[in-house]
Amino acid sequence: MVARVIPVERFDLVIFGASGDLARRKILPGLYRRWKEGQIPEGARIIGAARSDMTDAEFRTQVSDALKEFLEPAALVPEVVSGFLDILAYVRIDAKGEAGWEALAAIMRKDVVRAFYLSVAPALFGDIAQRLHQRGIADRASRIVVEKPFGKDLKTARALNAALAEYFNEDQIYRIDHYLGKETVQNLMAVRFANILFEPLWNAQFVDHVQITVAETVGVGGRGEYYDNSGAMRDMVQNHLMQLLCLIAMEPPHCFEPDAMRDEKLKVIRALDPLKPGEFVRGQYRGKGGDDYLTEAGNPDSRTESFIAMKLHVSNWRWKGTPFYLRTGKRMKSRVSEIAVTFKEPPHSIFGESNQWRENVLVIRLQPDEGMDLRVMIKEPGPGGMRLKDVALDMSFAEALGNDLDIPDAYERLIMDVIRGNQTLFMRGDEVEAAWAWVDPIIDGWEMRGDQPEAYEPGSTGPEGALMLMHKDGRRWREIR
Ligand code: BG6
């Protein structure tokens, strides 16, 4: 069966911060890949806007270099690249001043979708929104896209929401959390709500606990200064991990529409119990030479966590008594993002004591090797009585759906959704604020107490304390291989 791809209207997409890292690494290569797939319609235009003085031709050369740097050589077909470069233009603009706005207003077309991607520091969101509005560049149908960090606490997030709300309605604002654009994250919705199998078991009566792991091998590298003011809680938990938690824990929305989905996610965040000391462990990688958090962060006294593990309670009818364990860290043993739902024991074993029961676990692998695996008990083949064994019903999407499966990057999907006007995979303002409202007191608490993160070896599975967090509940983390 050929998949139905929803067509995209003609558009003018303006990327503010077009020569920045995110635009070069993700946004422009992502747009190129959609262009190559024929998803970008004739007559669409991508307009780079940034502070530096550049001609259209110079901008095209810069983008061409970025494509070479960030895409596989096989993806770069010369005629396709040159067609893509032809739809690019550039405007030098001063986000806080007057330069460039008139020129931008002059080239924007009236009869196409207008989208503005703010790949710039959040401090500039308000200035840009204001100028887009005052110069008549944005109208009621325009869309504005913003990136994280969306604030560093509730107060700053509220200020950003207010700055945008002055000129744009909520249905025009697209707050990106790129985790929501990942293929398997959406598959989570399909697994839960397109199958009858799991949903009846998806509650505290049958689920023992849920684990969410996002482990990275990279350290903070060149982002030391940003990261040291942020830490794993703000950088990963407040957004990516909480979004995953919401998708796992939410009630079935009545349809797959933006507000139906976002209403249900919001209820999960609001149902979270405050986190108490003893329910989380913070860590910092401490190694030799440059492989050390303090060196990379350029702050010998830093108390910022590069790892955090926590035990959460969702206090509602469905989840009362089922803990959710979350962990994320940098410089860990391997790059693994997965969600594991561990089910409870059957109420009675007919096979006797000698057969050790192992839990049924549903694992949803986000990366690498996107897929799912379900651990079930079977009889070990052969004579000698009834011996049970747990095996994996393992499905790698690449194997199940064909080895040439080319899964789009999260950014590709999200940018196309902006053009289509579909906000389902974007965070609503109240969701972001609710997440900060939960996170803030936890951070305030450890800052007030002056908590020191626990050291862990670079390349390990995190600090000892994280293991203890599970052990004291008689559980263990899934292995990071
Ligand atoms: C970003 C964080 O939002 O997500 C980074 O700022 C992190 O610190 C990255 O490395 C992880 O994204 P992915 O898609 O590589 O898992």
Side-chain angles (χ1 to χ4, degrees):
M1 197 178 70
V2 179
R4 190 173 59 90
V5 176
I6 301 168
V8 171
E9 286 176 63
R10 282 194 319 145
F11 62 83
D12 277 350
L13 170 66
V14 183
I15 305 172
F16 290 92
S19 36
D21 182 58
L22 183 73
R24 297 183 65 250
R25 214 161 27 88
K26 291 286 182 186
I27 305 173
L28 289 156
L31 283 160
Y32 167 77
R33 279 174 42 107
R34 290 298 96 204
W35 169 262
K36 183 164 168 280
E37 294 306 311
Q39 230 193 333
I40 294 192
E42 282 294 312
R45 283 191 320 181
I46 299 165
I47 301 159
R51 244 180 328 190
S52 34
D53 207 358
M54 248 191 291
T55 60
D56 286 351
E58 283 163 342
F59 179 57
R60 286 177 184 145
T61 307
Q62 199 184 78
V63 174
S64 160
D65 292 345
L67 300 185
K68 285 186 203 128
E69 190 175 344
F70 296 107
L71 289 172
E72 294 288 310
L76 299 173
V77 183
E79 345 34 293
V80 183
V81 173
S82 99
F84 177 70
L85 296 179
D86 281 348
I87 68 167
L88 303 181
Y90 182 80
V91 179
R92 186 182 90 81
I93 223 154
D94 178 2
K96 281 174 144 345
E98 298 310 311
W101 293 96
E102 229 165 82
L104 181 61
I107 59 168
M108 297 299 287
R109 294 169 298 172
K110 288 244 169 323
D111 55 343
V112 300
V113 171
R114 293 179 178 193
F116 304 96
Y117 197 129
L118 275 46
S119 178
V120 295
L124 297 176
F125 291 175
D127 292 307
I128 296 177
Q130 182 193 35
R131 283 165 178 73
L132 287 173
H133 175 79
Q134 285 174 349
R135 303 284 180 150
I137 301 170
D139 57 20
R140 178 64 188 88
S142 304
R143 288 142 209 181
I144 189 158
V145 186
V146 292
E147 272 290 336
K148 71 175 269 264
F150 200 83
K152 72 177 304 240
D153 53 22
L154 178 58
K155 190 165 156 242
T156 48
R158 275 195 179 138
L160 287 177
N161 274 339
L164 292 173
E166 223 173 298
Y167 307 105
F168 290 88
N169 291 342
E170 183 61 35
D171 65 3
Q172 298 179 273
I173 305 172
Y174 291 72
R175 293 176 195 78
I176 290 204
D177 181 319
H178 78 279
Y179 265 60
L180 291 178
K182 288 187 190 277
E183 186 70 22
T184 321
V185 174
Q186 290 169 81
N187 237 311
L188 189 57
M189 296 294 89
V191 168
R192 280 196 63 190
F193 303 129
N195 296 290
I196 190 70
L197 214 57
F198 301 111
E199 202 49 30
L201 304 178
W202 213 259
N203 55 52
Q205 192 185 345
F206 298 106
V207 175
D208 178 71
H209 73 279
V210 176
Q211 295 186 21
I212 303 180
T213 298
V214 178
E216 299 184 273
T217 49
V218 291
V220 295
R223 299 161 77 220
E225 198 186 327
Y226 152 78
Y227 193 90
D228 204 44
N229 282 309
S230 172
M233 187 67 150
R234 290 189 174 102
D235 184 52
M236 296 295 285
V237 176
Q238 186 272 344
N239 35 74
H240 307 324
L241 274 84
M242 284 184 79
Q243 287 293 322
L244 297 181
L245 169 75
C246 286
L247 297 177
I248 279 284
M250 72 195 227
E251 295 299 314
H254 76 280
C255 61
F256 193 55
E257 293 283 327
D259 281 334
M261 287 280 292
R262 299 187 296 179
D263 288 346
E264 295 306 337
K265 285 196 290 162
L266 180 62
K267 287 184 204 160
V268 175
I269 303 176
R270 292 198 171 141
L272 284 176
D273 283 355
L275 204 63
K276 299 192 279 290
E279 289 180 326
F280 63 88
V281 172
R282 294 160 71 235
Q284 205 178 55
Y285 59 90
R286 300 299 316 278
K288 303 215 166 52
D291 197 6
D292 178 66
Y293 179 80
L294 299 182
T295 313
E296 289 199 312
N299 176 4
D301 303 318
S302 174
R303 291 185 167 167
T304 303
E305 75 286 355
S306 58
F307 172 98
I308 188 162
M310 48 179 70
K311 176 183 177 184
L312 268 56
H313 301 279
V314 180
S315 269
N316 62 16
W317 198 303
R318 185 188 281 261
W319 292 117
K320 189 76 199 166
T322 294
F324 289 76
Y325 298 92
L326 274 51
R327 65 178 160 164
T328 181
K330 300 224 179 269
R331 281 302 282 122
M332 293 181 68
K333 195 170 167 193
S334 50
R335 181 172 185 247
V336 182
S337 295
E338 63 166 41
I339 299 168
V341 179
T342 301
F343 293 91
K344 289 187 173 167
E345 278 186 48
H348 166 68
S349 167
I350 65 167
F351 300 110
E353 301 276 300
S354 59
N355 270 304
Q356 217 210 343
W357 180 83
R358 300 292 294 271
E359 307 115 335
N360 294 134
V361 186
L362 173 69
V363 181
I364 297 147
R365 293 191 302 266
L366 268 52
Q367 57 197 25
D369 183 23
E370 290 95 336
M372 271 170 32
D373 111 34
L374 178 63
R375 298 204 76 86
V376 291
M377 297 295 286
I378 59 158
K379 177 191 170 296
E380 208 177 303
M386 184 59 121
R387 291 188 313 274
L388 300 183
K389 183 178 169 53
D390 76 310
V391 292
L393 297 179
D394 194 348
M395 186 184 73
S396 146
F397 293 157
E399 274 171 34
L401 304 172
N403 278 325
D404 55 351
L405 183 72
D406 189 15
I407 295 179
D409 179 74
Y411 278 92
E412 296 175 41
R413 170 173 298 110
L414 294 174
I415 299 169
M416 288 298 110
D417 276 357
V418 172
I419 308 295
R420 287 190 197 98
N422 184 345
Q423 288 184 305
T424 311
L425 301 176
F426 296 84
M427 293 181 295
R428 207 168 54 191
D430 52 0
E431 258 185 278
V432 177
E433 289 185 13
W436 280 123
W438 182 77
V439 160
D440 275 1
I442 308 167
I443 297 180
D444 290 348
W446 74 54
E447 280 180 355
M448 216 174 57
R449 292 189 301 272
D451 288 359
Q452 197 69 48
E454 196 181 317
Y456 64 95
E457 290 263 331
S460 70
T461 57
E464 279 289 307
L467 303 181
M468 291 315 296
L469 186 74
M470 280 289 220
H471 283 180
K472 66 185 185 201
D473 290 346
R475 300 185 174 102
R476 62 197 147 75
W477 291 106
R478 283 174 49 78
E479 206 180 322
I480 297 180
R481 286 175 216 277

